[in-house]
Amino acid sequence: MSDLVHTPDIRVSSSRDNGPAPLSDTNPFEVAEAAARSLRSRTGIEHYDIALVLGSGWAEATQLLGEVVASIPARQIPGFRAPAVPGHQPCLISVKIAGTDRYALVLGARTHYYEGHGVRAVAHAVRTAAACGAGTLILTNSCGSVRPEWGPGSVVLLRDHINLTGASPIEGAHFVDLTDLYSQRLRDIAHRVNPDLPEGVYTQFCGPHYETPAEVRMAGILGGDLVGMSTALEAIAARQSGMEVMALSLVTNLAAGVGSTPLSHEEVIEAGRESTERISTLLAGIVHRIATENC
């Protein structure tokens, strides 16, 4: 990967002082390998099968997946930082999936593009999971709905996305096919758990401001059903790393111009809180089904 461009915004946490130490002339995949080695050393788990990125409202699913065997503060693992957004876990959590001999890695420390740390930081958790052996990635998020019939509390399975960030986690001349980015096989498994799950297209904006009504109308014209500030860049990075990807969105509000309620992060947190038991049970069921069917 010698053609990767050096970006000095990626930092590695020092276990000695738990503070950021700069990385020099290190490509992002080497940072991910360092993070994977640190996780193996701290947890004793050599290999993970499934990785999950839990967005706002989804964190309670961790306890339903199985036995939590380790929880490591994010800042103690190379390249990670504590999450900047309320509602996100500050740890990387190892879980032995109930009824199986397989392990899940819960990536609670999501870095959003709008935090200003660069695309490498956004993709780091996903690349670390791939370096830990995880072949399956489940992304979750909270989002706004472009479709009035999908109101707060709706859960939508992603079949595609539109990336309006103007960025990509792929650096250099590495051409990655995204035709079937959101795995049909995994979507079929999710439908076996809940046949009523609708499928939609997620549109990632940069944030952190919410979209304007005109931008929401644009997203709808382009084919988007949902709008948000995460997921697409992570999914692209996962595909580059050879992972099979599934994504679930929790609708926390009707997008600007679709609903009449002013938008706020407090609304997002509250909608997630009200839905947490239902969506956590759904996600745990999907994870168990994937772990069982992958055996």
Side-chain angles (χ1 to χ4, degrees), residues 98-110:
T100 76
D101 59 356
R102 296 175 178 264
Y103 287 89
L105 176 61
V106 178
L107 300 159
R110 173 180 254 163

Side-chain angles (χ1 to χ4, degrees), residues 29-277:
F29 297 94
E30 291 174 349
V31 184
E33 289 290 348
R37 288 193 297 271
S38 179
L39 275 171
R40 291 188 189 102
S41 173
R42 289 169 175 269
T43 65
I45 299 170
E46 291 296 316
H47 175 87
Y48 293 88
D49 301 280
I50 300 172
L52 301 96
V53 178
L54 299 185
S56 298
W58 294 91
E60 295 301 318
T62 302
Q63 303 302 321
L64 301 180
L65 296 177
E67 178 191 359
V68 173
V69 296
S71 180
I72 311 297
R75 288 182 64 86
Q76 294 181 12
I77 302 298
F80 284 88
R81 51 178 51 81
V85 181
H88 290 259
Q89 295 174 313
C91 297
L92 306 181
I93 303 172
S94 304
V95 181
K96 187 170 191 255
I97 301 172
T100 76
D101 59 356
R102 296 175 178 264
Y103 287 89
L105 176 61
V106 178
L107 300 159
R110 173 180 254 163
T111 298
H112 294 80
Y113 187 51
Y114 57 71
E115 294 175 41
H117 302 299
V119 187
R120 287 183 172 187
V122 174
H124 177 62
V126 169
R127 287 171 172 155
T128 297
C132 287
T136 299
L137 175 70
I138 300 176
L139 297 165
T140 65
N141 62 61
S142 58
C143 68
S145 176
V146 179
R147 299 176 57 165
E149 65 270 28
W150 291 349
S154 300
V155 176
V156 181
L157 188 62
L158 301 194
R159 58 179 172 81
D160 208 341
H161 77 233
I162 301 169
N163 175 17
L164 294 183
T165 67
S168 172
I170 302 173
E171 304 174 38
H174 304 286
F175 305 107
V176 178
D177 181 17
L178 303 181
T179 303
D180 58 348
L181 174 55
Y182 297 95
S183 165
Q184 182 66 61
R185 186 184 77 87
L186 295 180
R187 282 151 51 202
D188 289 344
I189 290 175
H191 283 303
R192 287 197 283 277
V193 175
N194 184 347
D196 297 325
L197 275 178
E199 294 193 2
V201 177
Y202 180 91
T203 307
Q204 180 174 354
F205 287 83
C206 291
H209 55 274
Y210 291 105
E211 306 78 19
T212 68
E215 289 170 337
V216 171
R217 288 196 299 274
M218 176 188 71
I221 291 169
L222 293 175
D225 303 300
L226 309 165
V227 292
M229 307 173 193
S230 68
T231 302
L233 296 174
E234 295 161 321
I236 295 168
R239 171 49 59 91
Q240 183 188 25
S241 294
M243 304 178 84
E244 192 174 15
V245 180
M246 186 180 78
L248 291 158
S249 291
L250 169 66
V251 174
T252 55
N253 57 274
L254 294 177
V258 179
S260 58
T261 305
L263 305 181
S264 70
H265 190 63
E266 290 71 23
E267 177 186 30
V268 171
I269 296 295
E270 181 58 31
R273 187 180 298 115
E274 291 177 356
S275 303
T276 187
E277 182 176 353

Side-chain angles (χ1 to χ4, degrees), residues 6-20:
H6 171 58
T7 306
D9 58 358
I10 288 286
R11 293 178 178 269
V12 56
S13 296
S14 165
S15 59
R16 178 171 54 84
D17 59 10
N18 199 29

